């Protein structure tokens, strides 16, 4: 049975289709545009200013901004250069989602805001300096094992397959703005998806000879990625950021005893021993003594039956645990 | 309707009430579940970040075992669902890898064909049971109950795969709410992340990520949050006291597993749905001490 009705509920009802949405707009119809405006040097607080823009055929968000600037003479700060999804400078948040202004169609009502997680210069223009410093901290340049063999280098499509996805990145910072972990800089030092994509351009290149495990784990703090796929959802060039960037980089870190995630290793151990995860055991073995600090919660969970004490001490393995253990030892030999 | 049933690790430990409720609801709806006893963990997000072939082999083993008993597999966990779907897609794209894995599985007398249909409880309700039959099975509408849907990431993203689209537009849980008679509120957390996958290493990110969404649900007037994922449930329910401390506010927001919500509308007793096993009490929604007989049924169901 191929039906995916349950998954697709909402797609048609909410016009999740650019062509359909645009076909509803009539030429000359007034679009309601709200722009978050803020000049930190002058204003005390941001204000949401409303404008009306007549719809023109094939109008993009960038065309709306240009209309406000050129026809209405509004002094809105925004950034763009190429207008064709190449330069990566025009990303903004429209109705809560990061998009390239040059690539997304205008809509009937739009709230346009600057990207998040970067200092604001004015209105829609953000300061890219912090982000660029993060990228540089990951040393995203090739460090060859041997000498440069001269041009042309022998390198095949297969060799470059892993890095090729990352090479599509236009550095627009859409994923950097969408990442929920970056909302809490005091809690996590996760460097964010975009700098890791920049790193992957060289780290996944077969010519690179640098051991980047420490960098990925300690500077990138990659183990704080929550795997929510928000980055993939907004990427205008469709890079599978979680599966083609974050996970291969995590594998690099996890192959190195000094850079690996303790959680991942304990996880693997439990699967090998029991075939499944016993959450209380996993938390205890991952956090060690730190886990004992949560004794109050643990007691409550035991009382509710969420932690089974007997299972914690004498865990029961699944039927067929030996098969699982065999698969693990056959495929994982890093100590 | 016959399914191989894969409850996953959470529903067999921390969220036992989920597999309890799923079985009860399945029985009422005429869905036959065959539990896979030898099924291993799908590897959460950890295994794939260690070794890809290990991740694929382990899941191909479970899928191959499921292929022997049914032509479709039911899960109740978002991350398990995505892991299975991912594994199937990867092996479909890479026949060499599939052959290599099958030769590894041969010694266990298993063969992975890739023909199994993998589905989630939420999708099953709409695609297999269907809206008409679900509606007909409701014995008491949950009228007046305002609910906040918390989808969880892994059955709505990554986009462009597995029929997923712009996650913010997903409406399946809201549709089920309508069928059951309950109302849906709009709030910030519908399609956001609970932070579970970093929680075993340290809970701070999860507390921060989920706390604001529980608060938003409360501000929107929701009486409870309903989620199709046990991992989201674990964060939203178990860590809620910490969220309250972090936000310096009282949340007391009951978190329901989707099958529990459906079970209530089908007239199943809250105790049989394991609703006394939550950290945040669900008594305002459905008192577990309510009378058992059908004449007293009204008294334990949510009041308007």
């Amino acid at each position: 049975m191929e039906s995916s009705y349950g998954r697709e509920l909402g797609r048609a009802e909410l016009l999740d289709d650019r062509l359909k949405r645009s076909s509803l707009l009539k030429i000359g119809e007034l679009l309601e545009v709200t722009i978050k405006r803020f000049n930190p040097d002058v204003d005390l607080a941001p204000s949401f200013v409303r404008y009306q823009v007549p719809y023109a055929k094939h109008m993009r968000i960038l065309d709306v901004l240009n209309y406000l600037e050129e026809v209405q003479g509004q002094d809105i700060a925004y950034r763009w250069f190429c207008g064709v999804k190449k330069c990566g400078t025009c990303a903004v948040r429209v109705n809560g989602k990061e998009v390239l202004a040059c690539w997304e169609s205008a809509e009937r009502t739009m709230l346009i805001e600057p990207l998040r997680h970067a200092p604001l210069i004015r209105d829609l223009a953000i300061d890219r300096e912090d982000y660029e410093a993060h990228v540089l901290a990951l040393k995203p340049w090739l460090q060859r094992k041997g000498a440069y063999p001269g041009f042309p280098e022998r390198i095949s499509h297969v060799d470059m397959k892993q890095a090729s996805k990352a090479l599509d990145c236009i550095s627009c910072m859409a994923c950097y703005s969408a990442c929920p972990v970056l909302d809490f800089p005091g809690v996590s030092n996760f460097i964010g998806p975009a700098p890791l994509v920049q790193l992957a351009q060289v780290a996944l290149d077969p010519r690179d000879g640098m051991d980047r495990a420490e960098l990925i784990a300690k500077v990138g703090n990659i183990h704080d990625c929550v795997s929510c796929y928000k980055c993939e959802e907004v990427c205008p060039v469709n890079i599978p950021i979680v599966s083609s960037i974050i996970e291969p980089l995590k594998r690099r870190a996890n192959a190195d005893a000094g850079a690996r995630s303790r959680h991942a290793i304990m996880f693997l151990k439990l699967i090998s021993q029991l075939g499944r995860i016993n959450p209380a055991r996993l938390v205890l073995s991952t956090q060690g003594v730190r886990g004992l600090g949560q004794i109050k919660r643990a007691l409550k969970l035991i009382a509710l039956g969420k932690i089974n004490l007997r299972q914690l001490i004498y865990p029961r393995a699944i039927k067929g645990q030996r098969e699982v253990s065999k698969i693990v030892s056959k495929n994982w030999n890093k100590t | 309707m016959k399914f191989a049933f894969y409850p996953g690790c959470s529903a067999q430990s921390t969220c036992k009430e989920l597999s309890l409720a799923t079985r009860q609801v399945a029985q009422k709806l005429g869905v036959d579940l065959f539990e896979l006893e030898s099924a291993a963990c799908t590897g959460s997000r950890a295994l794939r970040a260690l070794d890809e072939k290990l991740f694929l082999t382990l899941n191909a083993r479970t899928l191959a075992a499921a292929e022997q008993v049914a032509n479709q597999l039911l899960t109740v966990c978002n991350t398990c669902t995505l892991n299975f779907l991912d594994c199937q897609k990867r092996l479909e794209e890479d026949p060499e890898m599939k052959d290599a894995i099958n030769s590894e599985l041969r010694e266990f007398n298993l063969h992975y064909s890739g023909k199994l249909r993998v589905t989630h409880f939420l999708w099953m309700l709409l695609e297999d049971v269907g809206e008409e039959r679900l509606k007909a099975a409701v014995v008491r509408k949950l009228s007046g109950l305002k609910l906040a849907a918390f989808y969880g990431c892994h059955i709505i993203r990554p986009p462009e795969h597995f029929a997923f689209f712009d996650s913010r537009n997903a409406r399946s849980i809201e549709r089920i709410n309508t069928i059951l008679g309950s109302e849906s509120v709009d709030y910030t957390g519908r399609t956001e992340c609970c932070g579970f996958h970093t929680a075993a290493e340290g809970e701070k990110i999860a507390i921060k990520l989920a706390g604001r969404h529980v608060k938003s649900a409360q501000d929107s007037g929701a009486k409870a949050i309903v989620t199709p994922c046990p991992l989201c449930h674990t964060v939203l329910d178990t860590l809620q006291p910490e969220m309250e401390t972090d936000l310096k506010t009282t949340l007391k927001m009951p978190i329901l597993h989707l099958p529990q919500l459906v079970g209530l509308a089908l007239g199943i007793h809250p105790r049989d749905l394991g609703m006394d096993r939550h950290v945040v009490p669900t008594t305002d929604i459905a008192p577990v001490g309510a009378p058992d007989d059908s004449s007293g049924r009204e008294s334990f169901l949510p009041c308007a």
Side-chain angles (χ1 to χ4, degrees), chain B residues 162-292:
Chain B
F162 321 123
F164 298 163
F165 48 98
D166 184 342
S167 64
R168 301 172 308 159
N169 288 337
R171 280 291 179 280
S172 46
I173 300 180
E174 279 82 358
R175 181 69 60 88
I176 286 174
N177 272 348
T178 310
I179 296 170
L180 304 182
S182 40
E183 289 170 38
S184 309
V185 304
D186 202 7
Y187 75 115
T188 62
R190 286 183 60 249
T191 59
E192 296 297 316
C193 178
C194 71
F196 175 87
H197 291 289
T198 54
E201 195 112 28
E203 296 137 351
K204 279 186 182 159
I205 297 175
I207 291 166
K208 285 279 181 195
L209 278 178
R212 56 181 174 175
H213 300 312
V214 177
K215 179 80 178 68
S216 165
Q218 187 188 43
D219 293 344
S220 308
K223 290 284 169 272
I225 290 177
V226 58
T227 177
C229 178
L231 310 182
C232 298
H233 188 280
T234 301
V235 169
L236 295 169
D237 183 54
T238 315
L239 296 181
Q240 211 178 109
E242 280 81 355
M243 293 173 207
E244 292 183 327
T245 315
D246 182 60
L247 294 167
K248 298 182 186 68
T249 183
T250 311
L251 295 169
K252 291 272 173 291
M253 176 66 68
I255 314 292
L256 303 183
H257 296 285
L258 181 63
Q260 288 180 326
L261 182 77
V262 178
L264 286 177
L266 300 188
I268 301 169
H269 195 281
R271 195 180 47 231
D272 298 334
L273 297 168
M275 292 186 58
D276 48 355
R277 289 175 44 101
H278 296 198
V279 169
V280 181
T282 56
T283 36
D284 286 352
I285 307 289
V288 276
D292 272 325

Side-chain angles (χ1 to χ4, degrees), chain A residues 8-219:
Chain A
E8 292 186 352
L9 266 174
R11 174 181 253 166
E13 298 91 314
L14 294 167
L15 290 174
D16 193 350
D17 181 318
R18 192 182 301 165
L19 273 178
K20 264 187 211 145
R21 275 203 308 270
S22 300
S23 70
L24 294 178
L25 291 168
K26 290 183 199 72
I27 292 171
E29 140 173 25
L30 291 179
L31 307 176
E32 299 289 337
V33 185
T34 307
I35 296 181
K36 186 179 183 182
R37 302 209 51 184
F38 186 40
N39 182 351
D41 293 338
V42 184
D43 304 330
L44 289 171
S47 55
F48 292 87
V49 186
R50 295 178 63 173
Y51 304 94
Q52 286 188 321
V53 175
Y55 180 70
K57 199 174 182 185
H58 302 315
M59 199 172 208
R60 303 163 301 167
I61 288 152
L62 180 60
D63 298 322
V64 170
L65 295 172
N66 284 345
Y67 181 92
L68 287 170
E69 182 79 14
E70 291 162 9
V71 181
Q72 293 194 2
Q74 306 290 351
D75 180 27
I76 301 166
Y78 60 103
R79 198 186 264 131
W80 71 285
F81 181 67
C82 76
V84 288
K85 205 186 188 178
K86 289 283 173 212
C87 73
T89 56
C90 68
V92 286
R93 267 165 74 86
V94 176
N95 296 338
K97 187 179 177 182
E98 287 75 8
V99 295
L100 288 185
C102 73
W103 209 253
E104 291 299 313
S105 313
E107 299 198 22
R108 193 163 274 156
T109 51
M110 290 186 286
L111 167 63
I112 308 179
E113 298 168 282
L115 294 184
R116 310 182 307 155
H117 310 137
L120 188 71
I121 296 174
R122 183 160 74 88
D123 302 333
L124 303 176
I126 48 140
D127 188 345
R128 292 173 60 98
E129 236 171 70
D130 286 1
Y131 157 73
E132 277 157 9
H134 282 321
V135 174
L136 280 181
L138 291 172
K139 305 187 180 160
W141 48 85
L142 269 187
Q143 304 213 8
R144 292 169 184 276
K145 285 167 235 166
Y148 172 54
F151 184 83
E153 279 185 86
R154 277 178 173 272
I155 187 159
S156 71
H157 291 80
V158 182
D159 292 336
M160 285 304 285
K161 198 180 170 206
Q162 273 203 300
S164 69
K165 295 264 178 21
L167 287 163
D168 287 344
C169 179
I170 56 173
S171 215
C172 69
M173 291 175 70
C175 60
Y176 193 75
S177 170
C179 178
V181 181
L182 297 184
D183 288 358
F184 306 106
V187 173
S188 164
N189 290 320
F190 182 47
I191 203 159
L196 290 169
V197 176
Q198 293 293 309
L199 171 67
Q201 295 185 343
V202 295
L204 303 181
D205 186 313
R207 295 168 296 176
D208 187 55
M210 185 183 176
D211 180 7
R212 297 175 185 268
E214 287 262 327
L215 216 57
I216 294 166
K218 307 272 165 70
V219 180

Side-chain angles (χ1 to χ4, degrees), chain B residues 9 24 96-97 127 130 146 154 209 257 295 298:
Chain B
C9 305
Q24 297 271 352
E96 276 174 38
M97 179 70 100
E127 290 167 12
K146 282 189 170 182
H154 295 156
L209 278 178
H257 296 285
S295 61
E298 301 264 330

Side-chain angles (χ1 to χ4, degrees), chain B residues 113-177:
Chain B
S113 78
K115 291 201 182 94
L116 194 75
R117 168 181 175 245
V118 173
T119 192
H120 184 282
F121 181 84
L122 169 63
W123 303 334
M124 180 208 70
L125 285 181
L126 293 157
E127 290 167 12
D128 299 86
V129 175
E131 296 189 13
E132 289 307 312
R133 278 181 60 195
L134 183 59
K135 202 179 267 176
V138 173
V139 298
R140 171 71 154 91
K141 287 223 158 206
L142 307 177
S143 311
L145 182 62
K146 282 189 170 182
L147 293 170
F150 195 96
Y151 281 81
C153 300
H154 295 156
I155 56 167
I156 48 171
R157 284 186 292 268
E160 310 299 326
H161 296 292
F162 321 123
F164 298 163
F165 48 98
D166 184 342
S167 64
R168 301 172 308 159
N169 288 337
R171 280 291 179 280
S172 46
I173 300 180
E174 279 82 358
R175 181 69 60 88
I176 286 174
N177 272 348

